Amino acid sequence: MDHQPKFFENLSGAGKAIAVLTSGGDAQGMNAAVRAVVRMGIYVNAKVYFIYEGYQGMVDGGDNIVEVSWESVSSILQVGGTVIGSARCKSFRTREGRLQAACNLVQRGITNLCVIGGDGSLTGANLFREEWSGLLEELAQKGKIDAEAVKKYAYLNIVGMVGSIDNDFCGTDMTIGTDSALHRIIEVVDAIMTTAQSHQRTFVLEVMGRHCGYLALVSALACGADWVFIPEYPPEEGWEDTMCVKLSENRARKKRLNIIIVAEGAIDCHNKPITSEKVKELVVQRLGFDTRVTILGHVQRGGTPSAFDRILASRMGVEAVLALLEATPDTPACVVSLSGNQAVRLPLMECVQMTQEVQKAMDEGRFLEAVRLRGRSFENNLNTYKLLSHKKPDAELPKSNFNVAVLNVGAPAAGMNAAVRAAVRVGMTEGHKIFAVIDGFEGFARGKIKEISWGDVGGWTGQGGSILGTKRTLPAKYLEKIADQMRTNNINALMVIGGFEAFESCLQLYEARASFEEFSVPICVLPATISNNVPGTDYSLGADTALNAIVETCDRIKQSASGTKRRVFIIETMGGYCGYLANMGALAAGADAAYIFEEQFDIRELQANVEHLTEKMKTSIQRGLVLRNENCNENYTTDFIYQLYSEEGKGVFDCRKNVLGHMQQGGAPSPFDRNFGTKISAKAMQWISKKLKETYRKGKVFANTDDSVCLLGMRRRNLVFQPVAELKSETDFVHRIPKEQWWLKLRPLMKILAKYKTSYDVSDSGQLEHVAMLPKEAESGAI
């Protein structure tokens, strides 16, 4: 599928009218999607309309269908819910209601509809599309429209985006709003953990998910819950005894806190509901533990959208407009989905059908099938949870006689501790002894190595920073001492969790194999750095948490100026020479410009940006935001840019600057980082076990091939192990960045949404795939 870059300048929306509506339950990030549809629509010269109050507004017409301008969607990116309203609509379910809706659309020349909602909303849209020509003929017979209109507006194009906090739609790894809902749940869990530890309490948490256990499952993974109940995987007969035994064992191990997570649709194997109250009564009656129930309810739907949801919704909104522009009468209604790291288009009804298949499988008690139909991401989460949550008795564990060392290298990154926890627990399940190395390779050389057990890593998922301690020191100057320590402690494999230094370190160990055979062991690197500058992976552990810190701060900074005169903020982000944080932060915070090292800029561009902002500020726009990566240019410093904007904006706006600094590195890990860390670490440990068995000969591990020193990275749609020796050619070692970075493709997207004229490569777009064709073996990178 290698084609020439294709740009959309030749895709003109002139003469087209696009309407956007949100329907069904609200979800954080819907506003980001609405904003992207409006701005992309206007960008391609289409007329864009809001339909207020979902399908009800379409049926009622009048002031509910309004043409909008660029400014109409200003300052809505950070707002939760949906500013255009959502409503359940009985009348749209009748033909009479749809007839009225069609009449309202035709009167305004609207034949392109972008629907943001759940599977019910999208099914309704598809039915509307199928009936469209019949509805128009009936309207003509009744004299509501003329024959010319029937001809002119003969086809209705529909593109859907899934907005649902439950992540219950098949065909996409993540629905808009899911990540934000997880943020709300994890905030509550983190708060509960601190109070519960004071009192030795058990907490039963009920989360949303009437038909889908995704939120419950992922939050259980993210906080290391003792037990989770979900509709797709009911507990086995006699679960009451098993659960109580597990809780009391944990309490006996001095664990002060038990957390049980219940999805609101949880059932037992006889399809009977399992409620949070029932679970509480069971724990109190059987164990006498002090137990509390917390029902999260609509808190999960509220609050500002996370960085992930804003970027996801913005990408999907732009893709939806492209899909509408390219649609022909023969194109089926499609839904824009996320697969791994790519926006893909899928036939809407295939996805709806598969989603309904899951429910059918659950109703008929085919639970394994239901889990499989939910997709790879869901299945992986469930398998990882089962692996990590319950320790088998020592007698049942295999004995491998292998020792595996785990260490952190480079700067601390959120999610490192979750990765260490998963490595320790999966390693023990595989029968290995796990050794923790304190303070990176420096600590390794000094013999700061200790065996670490299952219970030692309890509660680690929610901890920020690096509990093991980490240093930037590379192993090159300590090779002999490290080899000694590997020999002394009989270390048979290494897992190195860290940033660019971790990658470089493993490259050095690989290259030192000729001199030290101790390094001829399986070695795996897990990329963990807020800068997201490690070659071989699209995402690094910690970058999502840092991005959320940046976006939250940008929101606050913008808000600080409300009520004052027009103001522009210049904000400096971290990232070394890698512009990921500045670029993606700008996309998620709705910035006007982002200066990065990867895209060189000069004084003319700075001048053009200032003039662009000045023009914008003469309209109703009151605030501007400019992000600058710390190393984007040695001469155009943050101070220089601040002074330039201040001088040039005199009389129109004033300026403030802010250096975000180390706050981007701190804080509790986001749900994405907790789960990404947990899943890639579990996968890496299984790879290490496989390599150990393959390379064990005559009582000794000897691994000297390129593929025994690998980095596990997320590449487009798959998690892949790549030899560090091969990644060397993909790396710019001077600036410590990969030579090619996927997110640069999203750069024009930020510019378009900030009203710049630019060209956008749509080579990856436009291919309608089928649900069955999505790679089954793909290990989804979504959480």
Side-chain angles (χ1 to χ4, degrees), residues 555-616:
D555 286 354
R556 286 185 187 184
I557 286 171
K558 274 160 85 175
Q559 202 178 32
S560 73
S562 58
T564 58
K565 54 184 181 169
R566 291 177 164 77
R567 181 164 285 172
V568 173
F569 294 95
I570 316 290
I571 295 173
E572 184 187 298
T573 65
M574 280 178 142
Y577 285 98
C578 179
Y580 178 83
L581 290 178
N583 190 68
M584 301 307 260
L587 185 56
D592 296 276
Y595 298 115
I596 60 171
F597 170 76
E598 291 88 345
E599 200 173 274
Q600 292 296 302
F601 57 97
D602 57 21
I603 196 72
R604 286 182 293 279
E605 189 172 335
L606 286 168
Q607 182 65 31
N609 291 158
V610 177
E611 285 166 8
H612 186 80
L613 252 176
T614 311
E615 284 310 304
K616 255 164 105 173

Side-chain angles (χ1 to χ4, degrees), residues 157-229:
N157 297 317
I158 286 192
V159 173
M161 284 183 264
V162 192
S164 158
I165 66 165
D166 292 337
N167 203 27
D168 55 358
F169 193 79
C170 292
T172 184
D173 287 343
M174 287 292 264
T175 56
I176 296 167
T178 304
D179 187 65
S180 303
L182 285 170
H183 272 258
R184 296 299 92 77
I185 295 168
I186 296 305
E187 279 160 21
V188 171
V189 173
D190 286 353
I192 279 174
M193 281 177 130
T194 51
T195 168
Q197 293 202 321
S198 314
H199 296 278
Q200 280 210 333
R201 279 198 178 133
T202 298
F203 268 89
V204 182
L205 235 80
E206 185 182 300
V207 301
M208 282 185 169
R210 204 166 304 136
H211 305 293
C212 177
Y214 187 87
L215 288 179
L217 178 58
V218 173
S219 41
L221 253 181
C223 69
D226 298 81
W227 202 272
V228 65
F229 294 99

Side-chain angles (χ1 to χ4, degrees), residues 243-501:
M243 185 180 83
C244 290
V245 166
K246 187 183 175 196
L247 293 178
S248 49
E249 276 176 5
N250 282 347
R251 194 55 69 90
R253 282 199 209 108
K254 300 280 187 291
K255 189 175 178 188
R256 298 181 62 82
L257 155 73
N258 301 115
I259 286 190
I260 300 163
I261 294 181
V262 184
E264 60 181 334
I267 47 171
D268 64 16
C269 51
H270 304 296
N271 248 330
K272 297 224 164 54
I274 296 175
T275 63
S276 43
E277 239 357 280
K278 182 180 172 181
V279 174
K280 177 197 167 172
E281 280 165 25
L282 181 73
V283 175
V284 172
Q285 282 167 10
R286 297 267 189 106
L287 302 171
F289 289 175
D290 182 1
T291 307
R292 300 278 192 276
V293 171
T294 300
I295 297 173
L296 264 63
H298 278 72
V299 164
Q300 296 156 87
R301 284 198 189 283
T304 59
S306 65
F308 184 96
D309 271 332
R310 296 180 196 198
I311 293 166
L312 172 70
S314 299
R315 287 178 73 180
M316 283 186 170
V318 166
E319 186 70 23
V321 172
L322 292 177
L324 284 171
L325 292 183
E326 291 173 357
T328 67
D330 307 321
T331 321
C334 78
V335 63
V336 179
S337 299
L338 180 78
S339 176
N341 186 26
Q342 280 187 287
V344 295
R345 299 177 196 174
L346 301 170
L348 191 148
M349 288 321 288
E350 278 186 26
C351 298
V352 169
Q353 218 173 334
M354 200 157 161
T355 305
Q356 288 164 353
E357 284 292 318
V358 180
Q359 194 54 49
K360 196 171 158 212
M362 280 154 62
D363 293 341
E364 293 170 4
R366 293 180 287 117
F367 295 109
L368 286 174
E369 179 68 1
V371 168
R372 194 188 65 74
L373 286 168
R374 277 267 178 250
R376 276 312 274 183
S377 176
F378 190 91
E379 212 174 338
N380 288 331
N381 283 323
L382 184 58
N383 293 337
T384 309
Y385 177 78
K386 288 193 282 192
L387 206 58
L388 297 173
S389 62
H390 191 53
K391 182 181 189 290
K392 286 181 183 165
D394 289 347
E396 286 180 32
L397 289 173
K399 285 277 177 284
S400 72
N401 296 323
F402 292 129
N403 296 341
V404 181
V406 179
L407 66 159
N408 293 340
V409 178
M416 277 181 163
N417 300 322
V420 173
R421 169 184 173 267
V424 170
R425 293 193 169 180
V426 175
M428 288 182 73
T429 308
E430 303 266 327
H432 313 318
K433 274 188 181 173
I434 308 295
F435 288 81
V437 179
I438 314 301
D439 293 342
F441 281 108
E442 206 171 294
F444 209 148
R446 293 189 180 141
K448 289 180 160 181
I449 304 167
K450 60 171 188 187
E451 193 178 344
I452 188 166
S453 70
W454 186 281
D456 293 339
V457 291
W460 277 32
T461 45
Q463 305 281 324
S466 159
I467 296 172
L468 293 184
T470 179
K471 290 264 196 296
R472 290 178 180 273
T473 321
L474 298 177
K477 60 179 188 180
Y478 297 117
L479 287 173
E480 205 163 316
K481 287 181 179 171
I482 293 168
D484 277 350
Q485 290 298 337
M486 298 233 347
R487 200 165 46 248
T488 309
N489 293 284
N490 190 24
I491 302 293
N492 309 112
L494 285 180
M495 187 188 288
V496 185
I497 303 163
F500 199 86
E501 291 89 350

Side-chain angles (χ1 to χ4, degrees), residues 122-143:
L122 299 179
T123 308
N126 193 60
L127 175 64
F128 190 40
R129 178 180 186 271
E130 284 170 357
E131 290 182 348
W132 182 257
S133 57
L135 292 170
L136 260 53
E137 277 162 25
E138 195 176 325
L139 286 169
Q141 280 162 15
K142 289 183 174 176

